[in-house]
Amino acid sequence: MIFDDLRALASWALRRARPGDFEAVGGDIERTCRQYSGDGQFSPASAAVTAGALTRAVAFMQHGAGEANIAAIRTLLDRDGERLDLMPPGDINKRWRTHSDGLQQLIWQAMDPRLNNVERLRYRSCTSRPRPPVTNDPAITNRTRHIPQLLWRGWAARLLPPEGIRSVDKFRASLAVALLLPGWSQRRYEPLIAMLHHTRQFDVHYMIAELADQGHDSVFTALCEIAEYLDARPVPIDYERRRELVGSDLLPAEAWTAICTKTGTHPGTAPGC
C-alpha cells in the first residue's frame, strides 16, 4: 500500500508543481520537473522527473503526520483551489479511501481548515487521528447509551467559553448531541437529537458555530477525544436505560411531593434531564 501512496502523492506533486518545489533534489531535476507537461496519470518517461516526484512524495510521508508534512499537503490542497472547495468531503474520501490510514489521516488533518464545523467533527479532522465516518456505525448507537441528555456539569464547566453563554442548559444539550457527531454518517442533527430523547427545540448548529466564531473551536477537539474515550471504554451508567425509564407512572406526583415535604426539599417546577 505504501507504493500506492507514493505514486498518488508523486502524481499530485507533479500536477500541482510550482517553481522551487524540487530544489532540494538538485537544480537539474528542478528544471526537468518544471518542464514536465504530463497530467500525472502515467509514469513519466524521464527518470529525473520520476526521481524528483518520488523524492517529494517520500518527504511528505517520512515523518508521519508532523506539522511540516501537514503544511506540505495543505499547500497542494490550496493549489487545487476552487475545484476542491466545490467537492463535498464524501468525494474527497472516495479519492483517498483505498490508501493507507497514515496518508488518509494526513489528508484530513490538512483539510481541517477547509471543512465546516459539522464536517470537522464528523471526520475528526481537528484531532491527530482523523478518519471518515462510516455508514450505520454501531459505535454511534453504543455511544448514545453513554451520554446524558445534558453534557456532564464538570465537562460543561471546562468547555464553557470564558465570556459565558446565554443558556447553559442549551449549551449542555447542544454539546451532548455534538458528542454523537464524530463518525456520524449524516450531516443532519435531527436524528441525533431524537436519539437522546430531547423534546425541546434548540439549535445545535448555532451553538457550535458560535463557539467557532468566538475562537473556541478547541472544544471540537475535546468532543472528539471524549467520544473516542466513550467508544473504547466501558461506562458504568446506561443513560439510554434511564431515559426509557422516565415516565409519569415512575414516581407519582403525590409521592414526590410527600418526599420533598419530609426532607424539606423544593419539588421543582419541571422534570429534570
Side-chain angles (χ1 to χ4, degrees):
M1 185 170 286
I2 185 63
F3 294 109
D4 289 336
D5 290 354
L6 291 175
R7 180 174 180 177
L9 287 172
S11 171
W12 192 16
L14 281 176
R15 293 197 308 273
R16 298 291 176 258
R18 296 289 188 276
D21 282 357
F22 302 94
E23 283 183 351
V25 292
D28 291 341
I29 292 179
E30 160 74 15
R31 286 189 294 272
T32 304
C33 289
R34 285 175 57 185
Q35 294 167 2
Y36 174 70
S37 59
D39 60 6
Q41 298 301 313
F42 301 97
S43 299
S46 168
V49 173
T50 300
L54 285 175
T55 300
R56 191 145 193 257
V58 168
F60 288 149
M61 300 289 293
Q62 198 165 21
H63 302 292
E67 289 299 324
N69 305 68
I70 295 171
I73 293 293
R74 194 167 289 157
T75 297
L76 293 181
L77 290 171
D78 291 341
R79 290 176 185 176
D80 279 338
E82 294 181 0
R83 185 183 68 85
L84 184 66
D85 291 335
L86 295 174
M87 293 176 64
D91 287 350
I92 297 171
N93 182 41
K94 289 177 184 177
R95 176 182 176 184
W96 298 103
R97 66 185 176 188
T98 59
H99 292 278
S100 69
D101 291 343
L103 178 54
Q104 290 186 62
Q105 289 182 353
L106 194 58
I107 295 296
W108 289 115
Q109 284 181 277
M111 279 289 299
D112 185 56
R114 310 184 78 95
L115 297 177
N116 64 38
N117 299 324
V118 175
E119 306 299 6
R120 294 183 70 198
L121 286 166
R122 291 179 60 229
Y123 285 80
R124 311 178 213 225
S125 62
C126 51
T127 74
S128 60
R129 298 175 301 280
R131 56 186 180 274
V134 178
T135 303
N136 298 322
D137 188 350
I140 305 297
T141 303
N142 293 334
R143 197 186 307 154
T144 305
R145 310 188 72 87
H146 303 156
I147 299 174
Q149 281 186 318
L150 302 183
L151 188 72
W152 303 278
R153 291 182 183 274
W155 275 109
R158 293 182 179 94
L159 302 180
L160 194 68
E163 57 270 29
I165 208 81
R166 278 178 289 182
S167 171
V168 174
D169 281 351
K170 288 183 179 179
F171 176 77
R172 293 175 62 197
S174 296
L175 292 197
V177 172
L179 268 180
L180 293 172
L181 277 172
W184 179 237
S185 60
Q186 302 178 36
R187 302 179 67 183
R188 298 171 54 243
Y189 292 105
E190 290 79 7
L192 300 180
I193 293 174
M195 287 167 71
L196 292 183
H197 298 209
H198 280 289
T199 56
R200 299 178 182 178
Q201 294 297 316
F202 53 94
D203 193 338
V204 181
H205 186 277
Y206 172 80
M207 188 66 67
I208 290 177
E210 189 172 21
L211 286 172
D213 291 343
Q214 294 177 6
H216 302 303
D217 54 354
S218 58
V219 171
F220 300 168
T221 305
L223 290 172
C224 290
E225 296 290 351
I226 295 171
E228 190 160 310
Y229 182 93
L230 295 175
D231 292 347
R233 293 167 177 80
V235 177
I237 299 176
D238 187 337
Y239 290 100
E240 182 64 17
R241 179 175 177 272
R242 284 188 175 186
R243 285 188 282 270
E244 292 172 351
L245 284 174
V246 173
S248 58
D249 58 342
L250 186 63
L251 181 65
E254 295 80 7
W256 172 247
T257 302
I259 292 172
C260 292
T261 301
K262 185 176 180 180
T263 59
T265 304
H266 192 285
T269 58
C273 292

